[in-house]
């Protein structure tokens, strides 16, 4: 079983608050990802990182920001939460791609965010 | 733009039935295709497929990839109520420096007694 953790699991918060969703993994994986998933919809990549001090935006535009100061930690921050940010946020990690080697993303349990 | 289409979107079967879930894709620089099972929380990994024609099997689940026709199927035999979930197909396309996963919308499977 993959060792990737997310906190909190559920968060209900008022509009305008700053929030940080935590994600950590103990597998020493270089790559980490944040996905956003609305009920019944596909996962959309919003941020990814290939290693410490590396962050990139994904396919889906997001007002959130991320940081990667330590290999094991990839927090996502919303400076001012809005109801449109209500969604499930999933964190994942994978090993570095080395030519020809199979790569699997392992997911955390997710954070369900409700912004009132 | 990379694209993954799954069908059917939803199906309901009786316990013991066999189901086949479909996934077709268009992707630049294909690396692999992955199947995940998602119940109420996060997706759990099922299979990764990289080569055509080689069946991957885990218990009652199996999957195969056709890179020429750009699709994959996931088979579940002798279905059980615990198989009820959303099954996600994702394709890993290689971009400069690393991979990028594109997910389909999923097939919602419900297995009834």
């Amino acid at each position: 079983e993959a060792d990737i953790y997310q906190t909190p699991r559920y968060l209900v918060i008022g509009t305008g608050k700053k929030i940080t969703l935590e994600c950590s993994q103990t597998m020493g994986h270089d790559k980490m990802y944040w996905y956003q998933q609305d009920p019944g919809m596909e996962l959309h990549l919003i941020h990814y990182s290939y290693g410490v001090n590396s962050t990139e935006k994904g396919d889906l535009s997001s007002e959130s920001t991320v940081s990667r100061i330590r290999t094991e930690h990839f927090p996502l921050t919303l400076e001012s939460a809005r109801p449109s940010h209500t969604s499930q946020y999933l964190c994942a990690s994978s090993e570095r791609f080395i030519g020809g080697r199979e790569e699997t993303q392992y997911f955390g349990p997710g954070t369900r965010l409700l912004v009132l | 733009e990379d694209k993954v289409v799954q069908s059917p979107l939803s199906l309901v079967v009786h316990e013991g039935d066999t189901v086949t879930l479909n996934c077709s894709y268009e992707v630049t620089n294909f690396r692999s295709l992955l199947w995940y099972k998602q119940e109420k929380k996060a997706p759990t990994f099922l299979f990764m497929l990289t080569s055509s024609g080689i069946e991957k099997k885990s218990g009652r689940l199996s999957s195969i990839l056709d890179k020429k026709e750009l699709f994959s199927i996931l088979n579940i035999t002798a279905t059980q109520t615990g198989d009820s979930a959303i099954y996600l197909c994702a394709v890993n396309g290689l971009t400069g420096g690393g991979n990028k996963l594109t997910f389909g919308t999923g097939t919602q499977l419900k297995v009834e007694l």
Side-chain angles (χ1 to χ4, degrees):
Chain A
E1 192 170 317
D3 295 320
I4 180 163
Y5 309 98
Q6 289 184 244
T7 57
R9 296 291 300 276
Y10 301 92
L11 179 63
V12 181
I13 202 161
T15 296
K17 300 292 185 186
K18 178 180 177 179
I19 58 169
T20 297
L21 308 185
E22 301 287 350
C23 175
S24 60
Q25 49 94 7
T26 58
M27 297 171 283
H29 286 169
D30 286 314
K31 296 181 180 178
M32 297 189 74
Y33 312 82
W34 276 103
Y35 291 89
Q36 185 175 341
Q37 185 182 33
D38 293 326
M41 302 295 287
E42 62 267 42
L43 281 80
H44 287 287
L45 180 68
I46 51 174
H47 297 284
Y48 59 99
S49 166
Y50 290 149
V52 170
N53 294 325
S54 145
T55 60
E56 301 284 348
K57 287 193 177 292
D59 295 330
L60 183 68
S61 174
S62 174
E63 292 163 347
S64 58
T65 58
V66 291
S67 63
R68 190 90 184 274
I69 299 170
R70 303 197 316 264
T71 298
E72 62 272 20
H73 195 213
F74 191 40
L76 180 144
T77 298
L78 275 166
E79 290 293 332
S80 179
R82 293 208 297 272
S84 60
H85 296 138
T86 294
S87 189
Q88 176 173 233
Y89 293 84
L90 290 161
C91 180
S93 73
S94 65
E95 293 178 277
R96 178 187 292 276
F97 165 65
I98 298 171
R101 184 174 175 180
E102 291 190 356
E103 184 177 332
T104 302
Q105 288 193 12
Y106 296 94
F107 284 84
T111 294
R112 287 191 186 275
L113 173 65
L114 173 61
V115 183
L116 302 174
Chain B
E1 187 180 325
D2 297 347
K3 191 175 170 183
V4 177
V5 178
Q6 292 186 244
S7 63
L9 292 179
S10 172
L11 74 163
V12 180
V13 300
H14 288 113
E15 225 180 20
D17 288 350
T18 293
V19 296
T20 298
L21 310 183
N22 303 291
C23 174
S24 63
Y25 63 90
E26 296 171 22
V27 65
T28 307
N29 296 322
F30 175 88
R31 279 261 307 137
S32 59
L33 184 144
L34 300 97
W35 284 97
Y36 289 88
K37 177 182 181 182
Q38 184 173 23
E39 294 170 271
K40 289 187 180 173
K41 37 191 182 180
T44 53
F45 172 76
L46 295 175
F47 297 113
M48 171 182 278
L49 303 153
T50 55
S51 302
S52 281
I54 298 173
E55 186 184 50
K56 294 229 174 173
K57 214 168 156 55
S58 175
R60 296 176 293 102
L61 277 67
S62 64
S63 184
I64 198 160
L65 173 67
D66 185 329
K67 288 165 74 173
K68 185 178 173 188
E69 300 297 329
L70 306 182
F71 78 91
S72 173
I73 59 172
L74 175 68
N75 270 325
I76 309 175
T77 58
T79 52
Q80 301 170 358
T81 54
D83 295 328
S84 296
I86 296 172
Y87 290 84
L88 295 169
C89 175
V91 176
N92 191 343
L94 183 62
T95 61
N99 70 310
K100 184 184 84 166
L101 271 190
T102 302
F103 282 84
T105 53
T107 293
Q108 178 140 29
L109 172 66
K110 185 175 179 185
V111 181
E112 294 180 336
L113 291 170

